[in-house]
Amino acid sequence: MIQLNQDLKRGDQSADGRLGEQLVFRGEPGYVAGVDIGGTHLRMLLADLNGDPVARWKISLPSNGKDPKSVCALIREGLQALCRDAGAKISSVLHLTAGAPGITDAYQGVVRSAPNLTGWLDVNLGELLHQALRIDVKIENDTNLAALGEHWRGAARHTDNFVFIAMGTGIGAGIFLRGQLYHGAAWTAGEIGYLRVSGLPNEPLQLAETGQLERAIGGEGIEADWRARLRSAGHSEGELRTLRASQIFDGATEGDIEAHAVLDRVATILADALTTLTLLINPDLVVIGGGVGSHPALCESVDRLLRQTDFPHPKIYRSALDTEAQLYGAISLSLSEVARRSLQD
Amino acid sequence: MIQLNQDLKRGDQSADGRLGEQLVFRGEPGYVAGVDIGGTHLRMLLADLNGDPVARWKISLPSNGKDPKSVCALIREGLQALCRDAGAKISSVLHLTAGAPGITDAYQGVVRSAPNLTGWLDVNLGELLHQALRIDVKIENDTNLAALGEHWRGAARHTDNFVFIAMGTGIGAGIFLRGQLYHGAAWTAGEIGYLRVSGLPNEPLQLAETGQLERAIGGEGIEADWRARLRSAGHSEGELRTLRASQIFDGATEGDIEAHAVLDRVATILADALTTLTLLINPDLVVIGGGVGSHPALCESVDRLLRQTDFPHPKIYRSALDTEAQLYGAISLSLSEVARRSLQD
């Protein structure tokens, strides 16, 4: 991935004593950082110039601390913690890539809309982060980063045409065509969270609101469906178990009838969305990931549903990187940026 | 478009006395031919090596003569008629491209499925046509050819990212990304005729059958909707006017209330499909063409519906080449093949 020049060389400064060489930048160990801004958590990863992780950091996003400035301050705190852990200087972090959960203009570093982070409309996150950190940064859509991560070190290493579906709090798709991320004309390619769900009433699309597919089978939609089914099965409010989507899917595999009905509904709606995707983009492979999407029972159910027609359908793989796909993608993008800039110098 | 080498030179043999030079092949005027195999008609175009048309030919497809061999025989008849008209020798036709109305493996020249030509499943049209004509041929999906035509000499000359929607007997999309046709992993990219229509019952996709969107707003679906509305408005069977879809749209612009209701329904369903397309592919431009799709009233209605949300939407243009878009695309592809082979010799 990295093109070596005189600034960027293979050295033997590997601090952890591994046999492999570590890439160094102007004679010093260099690092890159990745950030995943989720709806509920902030995750960060520090990696050396081979792309190997050296430190991880995670924090819950307080519900009143999701505004852009607070998030930037948390990222600064995280970067300091990562460097402390790895025994690295902040100045040795050559580049940072942050993934945002919404429509993102990767060229300008502007988050156009992120409904799961209330109030994020046209936020120049690239500029804010550069001011807070004083290092080079790049901003991308989080699902696009996850696609990049799966292509680099995950389930899509052997194909240049695939779609990554992220299902967690939100739902989106990262589209990878002919070996590159495909963004579309207005950075909205892959915004499948706004797809219509068969059987639900028509409604106009609204940029600042979450979409119909996301509300139906995103984490909160699944959990609400579960509670509604228990309620209509006669359970009292006091008895209602509050489970996360992945726990409900666990229940389905263990034979719980209500949980199985929830899983069936999610798989049917997701299979419909993948059919639409196949009719338009016809990818070779679909990788399903995210906290909800990477559950084995969901991938199996969707695969089975898609095989029921004679229409060509993509291979369905589970994410190989789970919740770290976006972070790996961020590291991969930062490494490309370091290599590109090093060649330009 | 054409790369000149010693076989392919600019000469002054222009038979029609035009001021421009005509490209010649090994000292002789050369030609390429394009074929559009529609659900009801066969159209052909002969062009010189500048891509300028020199003769046109069209014939109705008899309902009992749509099998592959009969279609190949008709194409042979058409090629002879075109050459007679242009005063050209058959041996001076260097290449022919045929567009098929269905899922087409352009690499192998095989039509996988064409529901509007009953019985066409896995037809090796490339081989059949080569046997019938003894010239080099290429097979493509008809809508992909139309996209290529609009990019070469039509409404999409200035963009390398757009989608062409063909609406006639059938409905399909040709996807053009980063300056190239995009086919997908199993040649089904852009098969929007199979998209679901909101409000209609779910049904499994079947490769050998027409899809739900195509049945709802393809030519026959529009005409059936029109007759049903007249019937429920109290017209007797004898009074029912049989109009073609484009005549119904004409009626709508002239103030006919039933015709306007038909147009509204078609525009609403098409706008929904374009919203899906935008969410996934987010093209810069959508060009709508085909016998039904290129009606100005339809393009205007769809454009108005898409502007009703704050979501990014593509520009909507009408086809500039109308029913000849596919033929121009075929000519463009044949010219590229002639140039490529000439460079390989």
Side-chain angles (χ1 to χ4, degrees):
Chain A
M1 156 147 279
I2 294 250
Q3 307 289 321
L4 296 176
N5 76 348
Q6 55 183 9
D7 285 337
L8 208 58
K9 286 191 176 134
R10 294 199 179 276
D12 52 8
Q13 289 86 341
S14 177
D16 61 357
R18 288 180 309 121
L19 287 177
E21 309 160 299
Q22 188 184 351
L23 282 178
V24 296
F25 187 78
R26 292 179 183 154
E28 295 280 323
Y31 300 92
V32 292
V35 184
D36 169 21
I37 307 169
T40 55
H41 287 84
L42 190 73
R43 285 191 179 84
M44 292 181 65
L45 183 63
L46 191 69
D48 64 26
L49 295 183
N50 293 317
D52 294 329
V54 295
R56 286 173 165 85
W57 188 79
K58 182 182 168 185
I59 198 167
S60 289
L61 277 182
S63 54
N64 63 349
K66 295 184 185 181
D67 61 289
K69 286 217 166 165
S70 303
V71 168
C72 288
L74 277 180
I75 291 173
R76 187 155 174 255
E77 192 186 321
L79 191 65
Q80 287 164 343
L82 287 170
C83 286
R84 249 193 330 269
D85 270 15
K89 294 184 235 165
I90 296 254
S91 62
S92 68
V93 181
L94 305 176
H95 196 276
L96 175 143
T97 296
I103 298 168
T104 301
D105 178 338
Y107 184 74
Q108 296 195 48
V110 173
V111 182
R112 292 282 167 223
S113 162
N116 287 313
L117 297 170
T118 315
W120 283 53
L121 275 173
D122 291 328
V123 172
N124 193 332
L125 185 61
E127 183 60 30
L128 287 173
L129 265 183
H130 181 68
Q131 282 171 9
L133 307 173
R134 295 286 157 205
I135 61 175
D136 288 335
V137 300
K138 204 162 164 58
I139 312 297
E140 244 298 358
N141 168 272
D142 55 358
T143 310
N144 284 347
L145 286 184
L148 212 53
E150 294 287 345
H151 185 255
W152 184 43
R153 293 201 172 175
R157 264 170 301 174
H158 305 296
T159 177
D160 279 346
N161 292 288
F162 75 99
V163 174
F164 177 85
I165 308 277
M167 284 180 72
T169 313
I171 297 184
I175 301 172
F176 209 87
L177 302 179
R178 296 180 187 139
Q180 288 178 58
L181 275 179
Y182 176 76
H183 290 98
W187 307 95
T188 70
E191 287 295 333
I192 62 166
Y194 293 92
L195 282 178
R196 279 199 181 145
V197 175
S198 181
L200 295 186
N202 283 357
E203 56 180 37
L205 293 185
Q206 288 186 286
L207 202 56
E209 305 291 328
T210 53
Q212 197 166 52
L213 185 78
E214 182 164 312
R215 275 179 282 121
I217 61 167
E220 289 176 19
I222 294 170
E223 288 147 33
D225 180 38
W226 164 249
R227 289 191 303 272
R229 281 175 199 271
L230 289 189
R231 215 173 274 127
S232 66
H235 294 261
S236 68
E237 288 299 317
E239 282 181 297
L240 286 185
R241 286 172 292 164
T242 49
L243 295 183
R244 303 300 307 266
S246 59
Q247 294 171 311
I248 300 167
F249 293 168
D250 286 342
T253 58
E254 289 154 13
D256 183 296
I257 291 172
E258 297 300 337
H260 212 287
V262 173
L263 173 64
D264 275 352
R265 175 181 161 275
V266 176
T268 302
I269 294 174
L270 182 58
D272 277 358
L274 293 188
T275 298
T276 300
L277 190 90
T278 300
L279 289 175
L280 287 172
I281 298 179
N282 182 211
D284 181 39
L285 167 69
V286 170
V287 178
I288 309 182
V292 175
S294 55
H295 197 285
L298 180 63
C299 289
E300 280 163 30
S301 298
V302 167
D303 194 36
R304 200 168 46 240
L305 287 168
L306 290 178
R307 286 175 193 279
Q308 284 175 2
T309 79
D310 66 350
F311 219 85
H313 51 79
K315 296 187 287 273
I316 306 289
Y317 288 175
R318 276 178 63 210
S319 160
L321 302 172
D322 273 321
T323 52
E324 293 211 314
Q326 297 165 15
L327 290 173
Y328 273 92
I331 295 298
S332 151
L333 201 55
S334 279
L335 288 174
S336 299
E337 284 298 301
V338 169
R340 195 176 61 79
R341 290 175 191 197
S342 157
L343 286 170
Q344 279 175 348
D345 282 348
Chain B
M1 154 145 281
I2 295 249
Q3 308 289 320
L4 296 177
N5 75 348
Q6 53 183 9
D7 286 336
L8 208 59
K9 285 191 176 138
R10 293 200 179 277
D12 52 8
Q13 290 85 341
S14 177
D16 62 357
R18 288 180 310 118
L19 288 177
E21 307 160 299
Q22 189 185 350
L23 282 179
V24 296
F25 188 78
R26 293 181 182 152
E28 296 279 322
Y31 300 92
V32 292
V35 184
D36 170 21
I37 307 170
T40 55
H41 286 83
L42 191 74
R43 285 191 180 84
M44 291 182 66
L45 183 64
L46 190 70
D48 64 26
L49 295 183
N50 292 316
D52 293 330
V54 295
R56 287 174 166 84
W57 189 79
K58 182 182 169 184
I59 198 165
S60 289
L61 277 181
S63 53
N64 63 349
K66 295 183 184 180
D67 61 289
K69 286 217 166 165
S70 303
V71 168
C72 288
L74 277 178
I75 291 173
R76 188 155 174 255
E77 189 187 322
L79 191 64
Q80 288 163 342
L82 288 168
C83 286
R84 251 194 326 270
D85 270 15
K89 295 184 235 164
I90 296 254
S91 62
S92 68
V93 181
L94 306 176
H95 196 276
L96 175 144
T97 296
I103 298 167
T104 301
D105 178 338
Y107 184 72
Q108 296 196 47
V110 172
V111 181
R112 293 280 166 225
S113 161
N116 286 313
L117 296 171
T118 316
W120 283 52
L121 275 173
D122 291 328
V123 172
N124 194 331
L125 186 60
E127 183 59 30
L128 288 174
L129 265 185
H130 181 68
Q131 281 169 9
L133 307 174
R134 296 284 158 206
I135 62 177
D136 287 336
V137 300
K138 204 162 165 58
I139 312 297
E140 244 298 357
N141 168 272
D142 56 356
T143 310
N144 284 347
L145 286 184
L148 211 53
E150 294 289 345
H151 185 254
W152 184 43
R153 294 201 171 176
R157 263 170 303 173
H158 305 296
T159 176
D160 279 346
N161 293 288
F162 75 100
V163 174
F164 177 85
I165 307 277
M167 285 179 71
T169 313
I171 296 184
I175 301 172
F176 209 88
L177 301 179
R178 297 180 187 140
Q180 289 178 59
L181 275 180
Y182 175 75
H183 290 99
W187 308 96
T188 70
E191 287 294 333
I192 62 165
Y194 293 92
L195 282 177
R196 278 200 181 144
V197 175
S198 180
L200 294 186
N202 283 357
E203 56 181 39
L205 294 186
Q206 289 186 285
L207 201 57
E209 305 291 328
T210 54
Q212 196 165 54
L213 184 78
E214 182 163 311
R215 274 178 282 120
I217 61 168
E220 289 177 18
I222 294 171
E223 288 148 32
D225 180 39
W226 164 249
R227 289 191 302 273
R229 281 174 199 272
L230 289 189
R231 215 174 273 127
S232 67
H235 293 261
S236 67
E237 289 298 319
E239 282 181 296
L240 287 184
R241 287 171 290 165
T242 49
L243 294 183
R244 302 300 307 266
S246 59
Q247 294 171 311
I248 300 167
F249 293 168
D250 287 342
T253 59
E254 287 155 13
D256 183 296
I257 291 172
E258 297 300 337
H260 212 286
V262 173
L263 173 64
D264 276 352
R265 174 179 161 276
V266 175
T268 302
I269 294 174
L270 182 58
D272 278 357
L274 293 188
T275 298
T276 300
L277 191 89
T278 300
L279 289 175
L280 287 172
I281 299 179
N282 181 212
D284 182 39
L285 167 68
V286 171
V287 178
I288 310 182
V292 175
S294 55
H295 198 284
L298 179 62
C299 290
E300 279 164 30
S301 298
V302 167
D303 194 37
R304 200 170 44 242
L305 287 169
L306 290 178
R307 285 173 194 280
Q308 284 176 2
T309 79
D310 65 351
F311 218 85
H313 51 79
K315 296 189 286 274
I316 306 288
Y317 288 174
R318 276 178 63 212
S319 159
L321 302 172
D322 274 319
T323 52
E324 294 212 313
Q326 297 165 13
L327 291 173
Y328 273 91
I331 295 298
S332 151
L333 200 54
S334 279
L335 288 174
S336 300
E337 284 297 302
V338 169
R340 195 175 60 78
R341 291 173 190 198
S342 156
L343 286 170
Q344 279 174 347
D345 283 346

